[in-house]
């Protein structure tokens, strides 16, 4: 399952709830075609990695998070492990390698 985060408060709560689990967040917008293409495979990842938390943030709804992480282009994927941010690749295979190395 993929959770949807729409504010800084929801984001902070999710990271706190996650504890030491890996959290993967896809920043996207409904109007973004590359985001739609990425979603086709991103939406399959929770089944492959049930011990990882997957979330999505619509950049049109969460401007506070866009500003905090200085997101200038989408799609944009960030990983968080123990509260530490790790930039991820938008490439499926590279992202899977990074998830494997961090989980």
């Amino acid at each position: 399952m993929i959770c949807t985060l729409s504010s800084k408060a929801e984001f902070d709560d999710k990271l706190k709830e996650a504890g030491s689990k890996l959290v993967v967040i896809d920043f996207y917008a409904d109007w973004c075609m590359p985001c739609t293409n990425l979603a086709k495979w991103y939406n399959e990842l929770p089944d492959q990695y049930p011990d990882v938390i997957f979330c999505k943030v619509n950049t049109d709804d969460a401007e506070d998070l866009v500003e905090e992480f200085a997101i200038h282009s989408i799609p944009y994927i960030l990983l968080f492990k123990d509260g530490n941010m790790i930039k991820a690749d938008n490439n499926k295979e590279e992202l899977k390698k990074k998830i494997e190395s961090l989980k």
Side-chain angles (χ1 to χ4, degrees):
M1 183 175 157
I2 297 176
C3 69
T4 302
L5 307 173
S6 57
S7 70
K8 170 85 169 111
E10 288 179 2
F11 170 84
D12 290 342
D13 288 345
K14 183 55 71 176
L15 285 188
K16 187 181 295 182
E17 173 189 312
S20 63
K21 284 188 172 183
L22 179 63
V23 179
V24 182
I25 302 179
D26 170 26
F27 290 84
Y28 77 101
D30 292 328
W31 49 263
C32 168
M33 288 308 296
C35 298
T36 302
N37 291 334
L38 184 140
K40 291 175 186 173
W41 56 263
Y42 184 82
N43 293 340
E44 298 171 357
L45 294 177
D47 292 334
Q48 297 172 28
Y49 301 99
D51 54 336
V52 176
I53 298 170
F54 290 90
C55 300
K56 293 179 79 80
V57 172
N58 186 324
T59 56
D60 291 333
D61 297 335
E63 293 178 10
D64 51 351
L65 292 173
V66 170
E67 185 176 316
E68 179 174 343
F69 297 113
I71 296 172
H72 299 290
S73 64
I74 50 175
Y76 196 86
I77 296 178
L78 291 176
L79 288 82
F80 293 84
K81 179 73 173 176
D82 298 318
N84 298 312
M85 180 181 68
I86 304 154
K87 169 72 172 87
D89 197 303
N90 290 343
N91 174 283
K92 180 180 181 179
E93 296 309 315
E94 292 300 317
L95 179 59
K96 289 171 88 172
K97 284 180 191 174
K98 190 158 286 196
I99 289 170
E100 289 289 336
S101 73
L102 294 169
K103 65 178 197 134

